[in-house]
Amino acid sequence: MIGAVFLVILWTIMYGYMIAASIDFGMGFYLFYGQYLRREGRFYAPLQRWLSPTSEFMNIGFVLIFAAVIGFSPEILLNFQTPLVFCGGFAIVLTVVKGTFFAFAELLPRGSTASRVFSSGNGIIGIFIPVVLSIALVISEGGFADYGTGAFHAFVRSLLFNVYFWSVVLIAVVSIFYISAMYLVQFAWKMGNEPLTEHFRNYALFLSMPTVLASGVVFLGLESQNPEHFSAALDGLWPFVLSLICLLAAVTLVFLRKYPWTFLLVMLQYFFALYGYTVSHFPYLVYPDIVLNSGLSNWAKSGWFFVFSLVISIGTLVCYLRIRCWNVADQKHHE
């Protein structure tokens, strides 16, 4: 029972971080792009209300993920020290640097050269954090046992020549822009900012096709990296089909300018995709070296795990986004 609860909590943290971090990282980059590359600072200014120091604390979510995974299976730390240190350590450094850049950008006078530099750094670095974290997914597919406790340079060289790694990097980066653009459509619409809504509507529609293509590339990369997991994913294809249906429904609603339910569909899209990936990955935590307890693995493939993870993860994320929107509304009211 304790293991089942722990698994649902861990999965909720992973899913929630994926969506919430994508919104923050994407919004930071769009703000940098709009203010300093397009030089339309006033047009993009509403995005500044979303970004705040509290959002930087959310970035520590991946630390909880690593701690939970290691607590779940200490064997991972023993057998994969090099990849975990590289992945976790690099991500922590990037998060600290990003938070520092954000703080200086807020403290320094707006429009100054130093403020522009720090704001640009905050926007750009956020794109690299999910890329670094995606290394953990690549490792979980196997093929890196020889570098588990070996030299860093050997592991990095093996990673850079790995096709699946680059496919995961592609989907991670595309998802950041797609998720944040989809959210910004609804965000701008709720604020009553029609020009900004139309602007990000165009971005969301444009990014929908690269998202589908990147998803296909990931499947091809998975086939080359781990044929067993690829076969298991094909056998349990229904979550991925539902994910595609949610994507098409969300894009259709955006195209028709029917915004109230679009981001809920995006959340469901990534819920089904991550659920399908996770369940097809079990009973392995790391192929083929580290295996989940058979009883817990069977429970994770049952309908109960699906129901609990759906209700808790979506409910938690909706509450988080609503609270953030209320804070933005209060800030707008005070201005």
Side-chain angles (χ1 to χ4, degrees):
M1 181 62 182
I2 295 177
V5 172
F6 189 82
L7 186 62
V8 172
I9 293 174
L10 173 60
W11 198 92
T12 301
I13 293 173
M14 290 176 59
Y15 169 75
Y17 178 80
M18 178 178 67
I19 300 297
S22 294
I23 294 173
D24 275 28
F25 295 154
M27 201 171 291
F29 184 87
Y30 283 130
L31 185 63
F32 148 71
Y33 171 76
Q35 288 183 331
Y36 304 124
L37 296 184
R38 291 181 58 118
R39 299 187 182 279
E40 296 178 352
R42 182 169 296 182
F43 183 73
Y44 284 82
L47 276 63
Q48 191 75 46
R49 299 192 185 100
W50 178 269
L51 300 176
S52 70
T54 58
S55 68
E56 297 305 321
F57 290 108
M58 184 274 300
N59 297 338
I60 307 301
F62 75 85
V63 177
L64 297 177
I65 296 173
F66 274 92
V69 170
I70 292 171
F72 206 65
S73 179
E75 297 174 78
I76 294 179
L77 182 60
L78 295 175
N79 297 318
F80 293 90
Q81 295 173 14
T82 298
L84 284 175
V85 169
F86 177 82
C87 180
F90 197 16
I92 289 173
V93 169
L94 288 176
T95 300
V96 171
V97 172
K98 180 180 183 299
T100 303
F101 277 21
F102 176 82
F104 278 111
E106 290 294 298
L107 292 172
L108 294 171
R110 291 283 173 84
S112 64
T113 302
S115 176
R116 290 162 61 94
V117 170
F118 285 119
S119 182
S120 301
N122 173 68
I124 295 171
I125 291 174
I127 304 301
F128 290 97
I129 296 176
V131 171
V132 174
L133 292 176
S134 66
I135 296 172
L137 289 180
V138 179
I139 296 168
S140 72
E141 298 300 338
F144 293 90
D146 293 339
Y147 310 106
T149 56
F152 277 105
H153 64 86
F155 167 69
V156 173
R157 184 172 62 251
S158 175
L159 193 68
L160 292 178
F161 287 96
N162 185 281
V163 175
Y164 183 60
F165 167 70
W166 290 110
S167 68
V168 173
V169 167
L170 177 64
I171 190 63
V173 173
V174 170
S175 292
I176 290 173
F177 293 124
Y178 169 76
I179 292 172
S180 55
M182 278 292 198
Y183 184 77
L184 281 166
V185 172
Q186 196 165 18
F187 175 74
W189 173 72
K190 285 185 176 180
M191 292 180 62
N193 191 327
E194 187 174 345
L196 194 64
T197 303
E198 286 295 306
H199 178 73
F200 281 106
R201 173 182 175 270
N202 294 333
Y203 276 15
L205 293 175
F206 172 78
L207 289 164
S208 60
M209 186 54 68
T211 303
V212 175
L213 295 176
S215 301
V217 171
V218 166
F219 266 92
L220 294 176
L222 181 61
E223 183 182 18
S224 65
Q225 181 71 20
N226 189 343
E228 184 178 347
H229 186 189
F230 178 77
S231 297
L234 291 181
D235 291 338
L237 200 59
W238 65 269
F240 302 105
V241 173
L242 289 177
S243 177
L244 180 60
I245 291 173
C246 288
L247 181 149
L248 295 175
V251 171
T252 300
L253 289 179
V254 169
F255 179 77
L256 297 174
R257 294 182 173 85
K258 307 292 184 182
Y259 302 125
W261 300 101
T262 53
F263 197 71
L264 179 60
L265 287 168
V266 173
M267 290 193 290
L268 288 172
Q269 170 194 336
Y270 280 87
F271 170 86
F272 288 125
L274 185 60
Y275 175 83
Y277 174 86
T278 304
V279 172
S280 61
H281 198 285
F282 287 149
Y284 299 100
L285 291 177
V286 179
Y287 275 87
D289 307 288
I290 301 176
V291 181
L292 192 66
N293 176 279
S294 59
L296 191 57
S297 177
N298 291 334
W299 180 86
K301 294 181 179 181
S302 70
W304 287 111
F305 176 68
F306 174 80
V307 172
F308 285 136
S309 59
L310 175 64
V311 173
I312 295 175
S313 60
I314 296 293
T316 302
L317 189 58
V318 168
C319 290
Y320 168 78
L321 294 176
R322 282 187 177 275
I323 291 171
R324 291 293 302 275
C325 282
W326 290 338
N327 292 338
V328 171
D330 288 343
Q331 185 179 352
K332 183 181 179 181
H333 175 73
H334 290 308
E335 290 176 356

